[in-house]
Amino acid sequence: MMSREDSPPRREVFALFGGIYSNAPALRAAIGDALQQNATRFYCLGDLGAFGPHPDRVFPLLHEYNIETVQGNYDDSIGNGLNDCQCGYTDPRDNHFAQISYDYTLSKTSEPNRRWMRDLPKEIRFECAGLRFLLCHGSPRRTNEFLWESTTSTAFLDRLADDYEADVILATHTGLHWQRELSDGRLFVNVGVLGRPANDGQCCVWYTLLTIEWDHDTAPQLTVKFRPVHYDHERLAAEMRSEGLPDEFVQTILTGWWTTCMEVLPAKERLRGKF
Amino acid sequence: MCAMTSDTPHVTLDSLDVLWFQVAGTICNLTCQHCFISCSPTNKTFGFLSLETVESALLESVAHGVKEYYFTGGEPFLNPALVPMLERTLEFGPVTVLTNGTVLKDEWLRRLRAASETSKYSLEFRVSIDGPDAERNDPIRGERTFDRALQGIRKLCEFGFLPIITMTQTWDDSENEAVLSQFRQVLRGVGNERPRLKILPRIRIGAEAERTNGYDEFERITSEMMDGFDQSQLLCSYSRVVTDRGVAVCPILLDSPDALLGATLEEAAEEFPLAHGACYTCYQFGSICTNPSTKRQEHG
């Protein structure tokens, strides 16, 4: 029998998908890429619908690959038939486009899929290599809280890690991927989104691969890789057009620049974009 | 006016997310007719903060896990230590400065541009103008203030900032869309290609109570109103203000005798009674003082 000292190093690779926004082709491409990268576990952090066409096409992929999914604010809204997406915009233009997207998604999501979203958990917790992982949508304390890189202090993230007893917090919701090392080797990662580009003029979308390596006598090593996903975005754009979705949304897919829902962007993130 | 009754609800400080600095006290180069703490060149009810006071509060704020920092007055740029304060605060977290935009100097903005580029955090400027033309703005904020504030916005844009323009609504709701549209056009004219606009409600205390009218007695929050209400919408549940006279509950109620809660953040963590007319406005509009990027959403 092998002694503890002889046990081989262990390794897990988590594929973490943020907001899908009905972009099923990007989700399919991301799953393919993660499999090639030897991902061992798959997670989705919520917001399955919005923005894109044919929301029901996302669900079979989540089921086929056993992707454990957190409930996003959009999933809560669509699942429970609420009036809006709970993003809380006040700019009339942002609200106009958000409502078009919401009404379309609500009308096109089947009842079984709505029921499934309604029952999704607000968070997923587990331990791996002795580290406590917490997967949520916006923040551990609020599904629709925006944690932007430039408006979230490290002291605040440390407090969340303390209060919610987590070593690694994984979130999405803002649409932009970023990470921050916290005190005592803890980590916060915004895993990005597959639903639309990262407002950087590129047509790819992003997900996160988190690798954990450990053995009996060293502390676990965490490696975060933000992975660009290239997919047939022109085909997605054509489908959005044929579904009558706004040209503003289509342009984002084709150009990589956000055109709507800009009100909530802080200065630094807004300045990096074109609009 | 404070009107505490046995039915007055109290709000606990759930988490200190936002820390304000009353950096210029009540001292301002302008005397706006609607100012809820009646700031003016001669109102010294609250004075300037020192760099040492800001530094000490920043260090204390880390243990509380403060998420972001706001600087207000009066006019913050009248405080000669403001630029070093902002530079230092950007090492701790995101910073927003509320200014009337009329006293900005190139030298300060050059330094702040550099500090902003070095920091991982955003430096936001919020410029107050009360309408898209001098006809609406100047009677409230003073002669020529519209033109001077617009020049301030031009300067901020030239230095690569994207100011948020805040306007206190002194017009009918039905005019909002027209006002915003006219404002966007005016701002593009001074080089602000991506206007960010925020409409604020009037707070009917201080100078504004004399300009129009104050709060009626019935405009108070009752326990019944708080039933089922998400108290995290109220600034006092997640914020405090550092002043030269101690830590206060919120930047709106400074003139109220019960607003000062203690000498330190720790001491100022006590619950606060929602006994003021201004609390009623905060209840109605929610998170009026914070930026759209961190506006607290209901539900969720």
Side-chain angles (χ1 to χ4, degrees):
Chain A
M1 189 174 171
M2 212 160 47
S3 73
R4 188 171 168 274
E5 284 72 22
D6 296 331
S7 58
R10 306 245 342 243
R11 188 169 195 263
E12 289 274 8
V13 182
F14 300 158
L16 300 150
F17 305 133
I20 312 297
Y21 308 162
S22 302
N23 193 342
L27 175 59
R28 185 180 293 282
I31 292 168
D33 184 72
L35 287 170
Q36 277 194 338
Q37 298 292 317
N38 300 314
T40 51
R41 299 197 211 173
F42 294 78
Y43 297 97
C44 173
L45 303 191
D47 276 4
L48 310 178
F51 198 74
H54 309 300
D56 277 347
R57 293 182 185 179
V58 164
F59 298 87
L61 289 167
L62 297 174
H63 299 319
E64 185 182 346
Y65 291 93
N66 291 318
I67 300 175
E68 272 194 76
T69 302
V70 173
Q71 185 185 64
N73 52 292
Y74 225 91
D75 314 320
D76 181 32
S77 290
I78 299 281
N80 290 293
L82 305 184
N83 293 329
D84 62 42
C85 61
Q86 305 180 66
C87 286
Y89 302 118
T90 54
D91 186 302
R93 183 176 182 273
D94 284 349
N95 269 326
H96 168 73
F97 285 111
Q99 202 60 44
I100 290 174
S101 170
Y102 185 74
D103 293 344
Y104 170 85
T105 309
L106 184 62
S107 70
K108 295 276 184 170
T109 306
S110 74
E111 181 51 35
N113 285 335
R114 287 176 55 187
R115 206 177 310 122
W116 189 77
M117 280 193 284
R118 195 156 55 222
D119 295 336
L120 289 172
K122 298 276 187 199
E123 64 174 34
I124 295 173
R125 284 176 181 269
F126 56 82
E127 281 199 22
C128 177
L131 299 173
R132 300 161 301 172
F133 286 77
L134 169 53
L135 282 59
C136 55
H137 181 73
S139 82
R141 65 181 187 177
R142 199 173 266 256
T143 294
N144 61 356
E145 181 169 21
F146 290 102
L147 295 183
W148 303 101
E149 182 174 19
S150 85
T151 53
T152 306
S153 75
T154 304
F156 175 74
L157 292 172
D158 272 328
R159 165 150 64 90
L160 287 181
D162 289 340
D163 291 352
Y164 292 87
E165 299 177 331
D167 298 306
V168 182
I169 299 175
L170 303 158
T172 177
H173 190 52
T174 63
L176 300 176
H177 52 279
W178 61 281
Q179 63 170 313
R180 180 88 50 82
E181 283 181 31
L182 310 181
S183 61
D184 303 322
R186 297 177 299 182
L187 182 67
F188 173 86
V189 185
N190 187 315
V191 304
V193 295
L194 290 171
R196 65 173 179 172
N199 199 23
D200 57 3
Q202 301 183 70
C203 298
C204 59
V205 293
W206 297 81
Y207 79 100
T208 298
L209 273 183
L210 179 63
T211 304
I212 307 115
E213 292 170 294
W214 73 102
D215 59 28
H216 64 276
D217 60 3
T218 56
Q221 295 294 310
L222 294 172
T223 313
V224 174
K225 274 192 198 157
F226 295 121
R227 298 280 302 172
V229 177
H230 299 276
Y231 68 103
D232 191 346
H233 64 279
E234 287 180 356
R235 183 169 166 186
L236 182 81
E239 287 176 359
M240 289 168 78
R241 282 201 176 108
S242 68
E243 284 296 288
L245 290 165
D247 191 52
E248 283 78 358
F249 295 177
V250 176
Q251 287 308 313
T252 295
I253 294 298
L254 290 174
T255 64
W257 298 116
W258 294 1
T259 56
T260 57
C261 304
M262 313 288 280
E263 172 199 8
V264 291
L265 277 173
K268 229 177 225 301
E269 283 81 354
R270 181 86 187 254
L271 280 163
R272 290 188 196 123
K274 184 175 179 185
F275 298 107
Chain B
M1 285 293 287
C2 173
M4 180 113 115
T5 71
S6 58
D7 191 38
T8 300
H10 288 62
V11 168
T12 50
L13 178 65
D14 293 334
S15 64
L16 188 59
D17 288 3
V18 172
L19 186 59
W20 288 75
F21 292 104
Q22 193 69 28
V23 72
T26 41
I27 302 160
C28 191
N29 57 317
L30 306 182
T31 309
C32 299
Q33 304 287 306
H34 64 357
C35 184
F36 48 79
I37 48 172
S38 313
C39 295
S40 74
T42 55
N43 185 348
K44 297 189 176 156
T45 310
F46 289 85
F48 289 167
L49 288 182
S50 67
L51 187 54
E52 291 71 30
T53 303
V54 171
E55 173 81 23
S56 159
L58 286 172
L59 294 173
E60 193 188 355
S61 77
V62 172
H64 291 269
V66 167
K67 190 180 176 197
E68 55 180 324
Y69 303 91
Y70 286 71
F71 286 75
T72 189
E75 169 49 48
F77 280 94
L78 296 186
N79 187 325
L82 182 72
V83 172
M85 285 173 184
L86 298 181
E87 288 170 334
R88 179 71 175 130
T89 308
L90 278 168
E91 294 172 24
F92 287 79
V95 175
T96 298
V97 195
L98 280 60
T99 173
N100 59 38
T102 61
V103 294
L104 302 174
K105 287 187 181 167
D106 287 4
E107 178 198 336
W108 300 338
L109 296 184
R110 197 170 295 118
R111 274 179 68 174
L112 292 174
R113 179 73 249 157
S116 168
E117 279 170 5
T118 312
S119 172
K120 54 177 166 275
Y121 301 117
S122 274
L123 171 59
E124 298 275 15
F125 288 88
R126 263 175 39 189
V127 182
S128 310
I129 310 187
D130 289 326
D133 48 44
E135 288 67 37
R136 283 183 206 253
N137 176 86
D138 288 5
I140 293 170
R141 303 186 69 81
E143 206 176 323
R144 285 201 58 249
T145 54
F146 181 76
D147 287 340
R148 289 168 64 197
L150 270 192
Q151 291 318 309
I153 290 168
R154 180 194 295 277
K155 209 183 270 277
L156 285 166
C157 294
E158 284 169 1
F159 279 90
F161 294 108
L162 271 184
I164 297 169
I165 313 305
T166 58
M167 61 206 97
T168 301
Q169 187 179 337
T170 53
W171 50 85
D172 208 63
D173 280 352
S174 60
E175 293 177 65
N176 271 350
E177 204 32 60
V179 166
L180 289 172
S181 170
Q182 188 186 344
F183 227 133
R184 285 191 197 99
Q185 210 170 348
V186 168
L187 290 168
R188 288 200 175 95
V190 292
N192 185 356
E193 294 297 333
R194 293 185 264 181
R196 302 160 81 202
L197 300 166
K198 180 177 162 86
I199 298 178
L200 302 173
R202 290 182 299 122
I203 308 285
R204 288 173 276 136
I205 54 177
E208 174 64 13
E210 290 172 30
R211 187 182 78 93
T212 52
N213 58 296
Y215 289 93
D216 282 320
E217 269 179 42
F218 66 83
E219 292 178 298
R220 293 293 184 278
I221 303 176
T222 63
S223 297
E224 193 190 3
M225 287 165 70
M226 290 301 285
D227 205 18
F229 179 78
D230 177 6
Q231 81 157 34
S232 73
Q233 294 297 302
L234 302 173
L235 189 64
C236 50
S237 76
Y238 64 95
S239 177
R240 289 292 183 262
V241 192
V242 177
T243 78
D244 70 326
R245 292 167 48 196
V247 180
V249 64
C250 86
I252 290 171
L253 292 176
L254 284 191
D255 277 340
S256 301
D258 62 342
L260 289 168
L261 301 177
T264 63
L265 297 178
E266 196 66 51
E267 285 178 24
E270 65 186 79
E271 62 178 19
F272 186 75
L274 299 174
H276 302 266
C279 302
Y280 190 81
T281 300
C282 202
Y283 176 94
Q284 283 180 300
F285 292 88
S287 303
I288 50 182
C289 298
T290 44
N291 296 339
S293 59
T294 45
K295 178 180 179 289
R296 294 201 152 203
Q297 320 299 346
E298 288 183 68
H299 320 295

